[in-house]
Amino acid sequence: MEPTPDPGFLRSSLLLSQRISLLSMELFLLLSLALFSDAMVMDEKMKSGVELDTASAICNYDAHYKDHTKYWCRGYFRDLCNIIAFTPNSTNHVALKDTGNQLIITVSCLLKEDTGWYWCGIQRDFARDDMDFTQLIVTDNREDRANSFSPDPSCNRTRSCRAVQKAEGSRMSMMIICILIAGLGIIFIINHLSRGRRSPRNRGITGKSINRNPQTSQAPSSVSIRLATI
């Protein structure tokens, strides 16, 4: 007689296969969401600002990525953009604030050179970084300068921007001075080492020349003595 299969074993194996299929479907959905979902969305695709003023951008993202690193970069192509700052760090010109579902970017002391394309991005572990872009256009503030009765906040803003620009310029000058001093020090060390290597060689050459001189000086004297005797 052939053994009959246990109905309990068949039922447990069927339940196990169903659970495995459900888990695989859940993993597939999670991976598809991570790969193809828009985790970062910019509030506006075009922004405008005035020189010596501030401009802000808000990038909304899923709260699932609240612990991920975000960044702000500049460039027309997303894969070639130049990263300006990472969260939670900021610069004198750009401030980043991560609220848990929004990345708030504030660019202060605007210049006309700041006009360009910018991206906010979020770093993901097993997928490509999700990014969204905006275009910033900075206009001249000649109208504000023409008005001699400008309010105090604008004056304070202009002074603060000039102070920031002066601080950045002094920092760059200090870096250049340090680089020049380091270069001069390296050149001095190399020159000193090369002189130290040449000095033993020069001493050996002078010693050989001194030893050779007596022999050459004695040769004419012997010849003159032989001639005298003849």
Side-chain angles (χ1 to χ4, degrees), residues 125-214:
D125 297 330
F126 302 103
R128 190 183 184 188
D129 292 353
D130 194 86
M131 304 170 68
D132 201 3
F133 70 91
T134 185
Q135 184 182 10
L136 176 63
I137 300 174
V138 181
T139 58
D140 198 355
N141 60 347
R142 293 179 180 177
E143 295 180 358
D144 295 337
R145 292 177 182 175
N147 186 8
S148 60
F149 299 99
S150 58
D152 292 337
S154 63
C155 294
N156 294 329
R157 183 173 64 244
T158 303
R159 291 173 184 173
S160 62
C161 290
R162 289 177 180 174
V164 170
Q165 293 173 2
K166 187 180 293 184
E168 291 180 354
S170 61
R171 185 178 299 175
M172 288 296 296
S173 61
M174 288 296 294
M175 288 179 61
I176 293 171
I177 291 171
C178 291
I179 292 170
L180 290 175
I181 292 172
L184 291 174
I186 293 170
I187 293 171
F188 177 77
I189 292 171
I190 293 172
N191 190 12
H192 182 71
L193 291 175
S194 62
R195 287 181 179 178
R197 290 178 181 177
R198 291 175 183 175
S199 59
R201 296 179 181 176
N202 295 330
R203 291 175 183 174
I205 293 169
T206 54
K208 291 178 181 179
S209 62
I210 292 170
N211 293 328
R212 290 175 181 176
N213 288 332

